[in-house]
Amino acid sequence: MKNDRKRKPGRKTARKDGEPQASGSIIRLPAPAARPIQVKHLEAPPKFIRRERIHPRRILPRVIEGKEREFHSATRQVVFHPPRALTAIARAAADDLTLVTNTELAEPGRQQLASNVDEPSVAVNGQVVLYTGNWYAGVSADGGQTFQYIDPFTSFPDPANLGFCCDQSANYIAAIDTFVWLLQYGPKSGPEADNIQRLAFAKSADVVAGRWRLFDITTQSLGVPGRFLDFPDLAVGANSLYVTTNLFTPDGRSAGAAVVRIPVAGIDSGQVTAQPFISTDLNSFRVAQNSGSTAHFAAHVDTSTLRVFAWDENQGAPRPTDVGVARWITGNGYQSRTPDGRSWLDRADSRITGATLAGTELYFAWAVDAGSNQRPKPFVQIARIDSQNLTLLENINVFDPDSATCYGALSSNADNEVGISYMLGGGPRFPSHVVGILTGTRKDVIVAVGDRGPLPNPSNGSGEWGDYLTVRPIFPSRKLFAATGYTMNGKGDGSNRDATPRFVVFGRASDASAVQPMRKIPAKRPPTPPPTPPIPPGPLPPTPSADGGPITDVNTLPTVSPEVAQRIKAAAKLGAGPAPRQAAPKAKIPVPKVLDQPGTERWRVKTGQDPDRAKVGKNVIEGNDLGAGIVEATLEELTGLPRPPGVADPNQDAPLFQDARAGVTEITIWRIEATIIALKHEPDGDYHMVLQGASGAMMVAEIPTPTRQFVGDSPWLANIGGARHEVDDKLVKKLSPADFALLDNRLVPYGAVTFQPHLAADPELSFHTPPEGSGAIQPLFAVQITPTPARITGVGFFDRSHGVAGAAPNVIELHPVLKVEWL
């Protein structure tokens, strides 16, 4: 990166009247409850009816004009690159920016919880994702492919006269495997004062299980009674967590800002202590992400000076240094209009929205108004500073000649690359979400394009968009970045609360190809309450009242159109690259018993007793309802599907998915035409059919024993029974026990052994599935059959590799089979 000026030394500052005060004494935050608080995970967040205006917009003081500097900002025009899919990594240049995940969180907007000032935040460890925004929170256990939701209004008990609203932030402390979830609470009545910033802590497994411990930062504990805490943020250092917040008077005037340092060891032990640092003049401190043992944070002194603080973990107070930057133009609201003439930056101001430490370099980002550095549109300005001597290295502009850029969020990864997430809009574009990498080879990618801008605020006619976005490194590797953003898409419902949040994973192509999915998955997610009748009782997730519960008869379903089928296959990532190679079994298959018993490994998913069964066959893809129906495919297409995150390694157990479905494939009812070439009755009661496609490729289809003992309250019991009857009538009845011998407790044809069997089968023994409750024994058997073509309908399922006959390379199955038709 070329510097556009020589280094200028920073200037140490002496404290003046009204300048930042010395750090407060150590305070002890309230101890958590004896047990963690259990929260519910919901398929969709409940709609919250709120006031049109929560509180008047708190306007920060206008930053005073600074002197003109002898240097200007560098030219860093945004150059957009088309995103490369993860499957193209092998052909991509190592420094290309690659999108690994790009997930829409559609439900908050549908419930009018994701406003045009969405303020989304995120934290990620392996497959566990915590995502927050205005009025909602989400948790993913599959790396952000799908989300469940937490209601922040009701999940935690309210303090006296306080209720949740509305800012939230998320971060992750790798040293103690702890997610941090900050929720801002405000008064339910009376003046806007004496609120709290609530911290919720949870280990990765507890995030998935919905168990959180709470600690509250109050105005009294900070020594600022009568103030209102607003605009919070979180940053993690080597041994401390940092919380920042602005301070306001009850009538909305700025009263300064605070930084709160919390030792990580106390968070882990439950003995949480904190040390505040208060400024009565400066505001909007932003602590650099990924700080080491010295945290750096900054605020504007004037439009050409940053005051940068260094707070060593061994020191009681931070040390301030003034750093000159290229002069810029400020304002409370910037000028930018969308293609339909609407304003979208009337809310923007110059507060610092992004900060990070990359190696020995600090980056601080904020938005500046049009005319700065002689540019015609508002843009994101970044100061790159040497952290060792606090001197300016470079002024960076993130700008576009035709549109405004704003709300730049920053973070760094293990390679000291700096990732950015920001908004782009105005001129020819509606507000759109962009991610990029600032260091090395510069790349920027538009990951979500908006269809419209915000409606004017009914109270003042202003066009408002956002306060902050987030970008974080993904642990444990810290190679890739996770980013948040949002757009307004479709016709809209006229509420300004129907934005579409987005979870994005991105990074260099070389990093994305090297990082493997996390193999050790935390504990399974908690059960969700069953919906109301007519769905049978059981561990079902809540579903909308119009949904009607799980599909109970595949015969009533239409076949979706080829266009819809193609969209579903694309969502399941058909053609997204080679499937994992099947590894040989590591151990001999256990000796089966004559009497079969229900299985255990993901058994509820295999048989339709899992909480996700109500999603199966509905074809709701990324929030888009494509209509319930059967998806026609070929055996070759299914065996080419990639395994989803969380079950990506077929040789590893996936405890998190013991009772949960993984990806689009496992919530789709597929129909294929194939030839059945072998049939087994397994110890878990399944009919194991080996299918062969036109190319010779093979996969497995399984039909469970159609009894309550084996499939419980599965809504597909009747369909499973029908499929089993078809196989009995067509294939099993042709088998004669006299042609079989007993080998290792399984009946096999005489030709399957090379020695004289020690026991022949009883000629009177029946191979047919016995009626439920009959007490009859159906023996285990395995046999090659005359190739029989069939049309087979069933639910997609990714099994673990057991070395079974006919298994596909990706170990995909149709399990359970719901219908068999003979061709």
Side-chain angles (χ1 to χ4, degrees):
M1 181 179 292
K2 183 180 178 181
N3 297 342
D4 68 320
R5 63 173 303 279
K6 296 180 180 180
R7 296 185 182 214
K8 291 288 184 179
R11 177 171 57 88
K12 300 290 183 180
T13 61
R15 186 170 62 85
K16 304 175 184 178
D17 292 341
E19 283 296 306
Q21 305 298 308
S23 299
S25 59
I26 301 296
I27 58 177
R28 185 174 296 277
L29 300 183
R35 294 184 178 181
I37 294 175
Q38 182 74 53
V39 302
K40 294 179 179 179
H41 290 176
L42 310 170
E43 294 305 309
K47 183 176 291 187
F48 179 77
I49 306 302
R50 58 186 177 86
R51 301 190 303 270
E52 189 65 31
R53 291 289 294 176
I54 302 302
H55 51 66
R57 168 74 168 158
R58 295 184 179 89
I59 303 299
L60 294 173
R62 186 184 180 99
V63 177
I64 63 174
E65 295 293 332
K67 65 180 182 181
E68 186 67 42
R69 301 288 181 181
E70 68 274 21
F71 52 86
H72 296 280
S73 297
T75 298
R76 296 278 169 163
Q77 180 174 339
V78 176
V79 179
F80 297 112
H81 295 254
R84 288 184 180 268
L86 183 57
T87 54
I89 286 176
R91 301 186 302 274
D95 64 351
D96 246 341
L97 191 156
T98 299
L99 299 185
V100 181
T101 305
N102 192 0
T103 301
E104 289 184 349
L105 284 73
E107 290 299 332
R110 290 175 178 165
Q111 298 296 86
Q112 295 189 351
L113 299 174
S115 73
N116 54 306
V117 286
D118 188 54
E119 299 167 346
S121 183
V122 73
V124 184
N125 179 37
Q127 300 298 313
V128 183
V129 182
L130 172 65
Y131 194 109
T132 66
N134 266 348
W135 309 298
Y136 67 92
V139 169
S140 173
D142 58 10
Q145 299 297 317
T146 61
F147 283 86
Q148 288 187 307
Y149 295 92
I150 304 172
D151 182 3
F153 293 93
T154 61
S155 292
F156 300 133
D158 289 342
N161 194 40
L162 294 177
F164 166 75
C165 186
C166 303
D167 291 351
Q168 300 179 77
S169 186
N171 216 318
Y172 177 73
I173 308 173
I176 57 173
D177 178 31
T178 297
F179 281 79
V180 188
W181 176 12
L182 184 151
L183 304 94
Q184 181 169 300
Y185 283 65
K188 293 181 179 178
S189 62
E192 294 283 342
D194 290 320
N195 66 326
I196 65 170
Q197 302 287 5
R198 170 165 283 178
L199 298 176
F201 297 115
K203 303 288 187 181
S204 295
D206 289 331
V207 173
V208 177
R211 296 187 294 264
W212 295 87
R213 292 182 178 272
L214 303 182
F215 299 83
D216 292 342
I217 298 175
T218 68
T219 54
Q220 286 74 20
S221 64
L222 295 182
V224 288
R227 297 294 183 250
F228 186 90
L229 311 178
D230 195 21
F231 190 62
D233 190 41
L234 297 169
V236 178
N239 302 294
S240 299
L241 170 71
Y242 297 88
V243 180
T244 58
T245 181
N246 281 337
L247 309 176
F248 290 91
T249 62
D251 59 358
R253 291 181 292 110
S254 175
V259 180
V260 183
R261 182 170 68 185
I262 303 175
V264 165
I267 296 172
D268 201 34
S269 68
Q271 303 298 314
V272 182
T273 59
Q275 186 173 19
F277 171 78
I278 307 295
S279 169
T280 56
D281 280 2
L282 299 176
N283 56 63
S284 296
F285 287 137
R286 180 71 54 156
V287 178
Q289 297 293 323
N290 311 313
S291 295
S293 58
T294 298
H296 292 88
F297 56 95
H300 297 296
V301 175
D302 56 44
T303 60
S304 61
T305 308
L306 278 180
R307 183 155 298 161
V308 182
F309 294 84
W311 198 358
D312 190 293
E313 288 181 330
N314 296 318
Q315 300 295 322
R319 304 181 309 276
T321 300
D322 283 355
V323 179
V325 298
R327 186 173 178 271
W328 47 275
I329 298 174
T330 185
N332 285 315
Y334 298 156
Q335 295 299 311
S336 181
R337 293 189 176 275
T338 56
D340 55 5
R342 295 176 183 171
S343 296
W344 72 290
L345 290 184
D346 290 350
R347 184 183 179 93
D349 56 32
S350 56
R351 68 187 74 193
I352 295 176
T353 57
T356 194
L357 176 69
T360 61
E361 296 182 354
L362 291 164
Y363 292 74
F364 293 100
W366 64 98
V368 301
D369 205 357
S372 300
N373 203 24
Q374 300 181 343
R375 305 206 184 284
K377 308 292 182 182
F379 62 90
V380 175
Q381 179 162 318
I382 300 174
R384 183 168 71 99
I385 297 170
D386 189 324
S387 67
Q388 297 177 316
N389 56 24
L390 296 184
T391 56
L392 182 72
L393 299 175
E394 186 179 24
N395 291 282
I396 302 170
N397 291 180
V398 178
F399 79 98
D400 181 86
D402 302 314
S403 300
T405 63
C406 199
Y407 302 119
L410 303 176
S411 192
S412 51
N413 66 3
D415 296 327
N416 294 323
E417 291 262 64
V418 176
I420 183 171
S421 179
Y422 61 97
M423 298 304 304
L424 172 80
R429 296 184 175 97
F430 289 104
S432 300
H433 180 211
V434 186
V435 299
I437 297 179
L438 294 174
T439 45
T441 304
R442 175 69 186 279
K443 303 286 184 179
D444 297 85
V445 171
I446 300 177
V447 294
V449 177
D451 296 336
R452 52 189 165 88
L455 296 171
N457 187 307
S459 65
N460 57 22
S462 63
E464 299 176 343
W465 188 281
D467 261 354
Y468 53 85
L469 305 178
T470 306
V471 61
R472 305 273 195 242
I474 295 179
F475 291 88
S477 68
R478 290 187 59 237
K479 288 283 190 177
L480 301 178
F481 296 101
T484 66
Y486 62 100
T487 50
M488 303 187 84
N489 297 101
K491 183 179 179 181
D493 60 12
S495 70
N496 258 2
R497 304 172 191 162
D498 61 341
T500 302
R502 189 169 293 268
F503 170 72
V504 180
V505 175
F506 70 99
R508 297 293 188 196
S510 55
D511 293 333
S513 61
V515 174
Q516 299 297 321
M518 183 181 181
R519 291 185 177 184
K520 185 177 180 181
I521 304 297
K524 64 184 181 182
R525 66 183 180 181
T528 53
T532 56
I535 305 169
L540 289 171
T543 54
S545 58
D547 184 273
I551 291 167
T552 59
D553 187 0
V554 69
N555 297 296
T556 65
L557 290 179
T559 300
V560 301
S561 68
E563 292 76 19
V564 168
Q566 187 58 39
R567 290 183 64 181
I568 293 170
K569 293 174 187 178
K573 309 228 182 311
L574 179 64
R581 298 178 66 88
Q582 179 186 355
K586 298 179 180 179
K588 185 179 179 183
I589 297 175
V591 176
K593 298 179 180 179
V594 173
L595 294 177
D596 49 327
Q597 297 291 331
T600 57
E601 188 177 285
R602 299 192 74 197
W603 185 251
R604 283 162 33 103
V605 178
K606 291 179 179 180
T607 56
Q609 301 178 73
D610 60 293
D612 290 332
R613 62 186 179 179
K615 302 176 183 176
V616 174
K618 303 294 180 61
N619 300 327
V620 178
I621 306 299
E622 295 184 347
N624 297 311
D625 189 347
L626 304 181
I630 298 165
V631 178
E632 292 187 330
T634 66
L635 183 148
E636 286 78 6
E637 286 178 324
L638 295 188
T639 58
L641 289 171
R643 293 175 67 95
V647 296
D649 190 338
N651 299 304
Q652 295 289 328
D653 289 323
L656 182 63
F657 291 89
Q658 176 67 15
D659 293 324
R661 295 181 182 268
V664 172
T665 301
E666 292 195 342
I667 60 171
T668 301
I669 299 176
W670 304 92
R671 175 181 290 156
I672 64 173
E673 292 186 359
T675 300
I676 304 174
I677 61 174
L679 176 66
K680 291 196 298 181
H681 174 210
E682 297 279 25
D684 61 6
D686 286 354
Y687 275 178
H688 173 107
M689 300 186 296
V690 178
L691 311 181
Q692 190 170 45
S695 69
M698 292 186 291
M699 66 175 286
V700 170
E702 306 260 7
I703 312 176
T705 299
T707 67
R708 293 290 180 182
Q709 176 191 0
F710 285 85
V711 301
D713 65 348
S714 173
W716 310 317
L717 174 60
N719 287 148
I720 293 170
R724 187 92 166 204
H725 173 76
E726 286 292 331
V727 172
D728 278 341
D729 192 55
K730 180 76 171 180
L731 304 178
V732 176
K733 77 176 183 180
K734 297 179 180 180
L735 305 178
S736 172
D739 296 330
F740 286 76
L742 189 62
L743 177 67
D744 290 335
N745 289 325
R746 181 190 297 273
L747 293 176
V748 297
Y750 277 109
V753 294
T754 58
F755 55 88
Q756 183 64 35
H758 65 274
L759 183 65
D762 182 351
E764 301 300 320
L765 188 65
S766 173
F767 280 47
H768 279 72
T769 304
E772 184 168 10
S774 68
I777 296 174
Q778 184 182 21
L780 305 180
F781 63 85
V783 62
Q784 180 183 15
I785 65 171
T786 301
T788 305
R791 182 180 299 111
I792 300 166
T793 303
V795 183
F797 177 79
F798 288 104
D799 202 0
R800 192 164 70 88
S801 178
H802 298 284
V804 298
N810 59 352
V811 205
I812 194 173
E813 299 177 355
L814 293 181
H815 199 154
V817 171
L818 303 179
K819 190 174 184 178
V820 177
E821 302 169 274
W822 307 111
L823 301 177

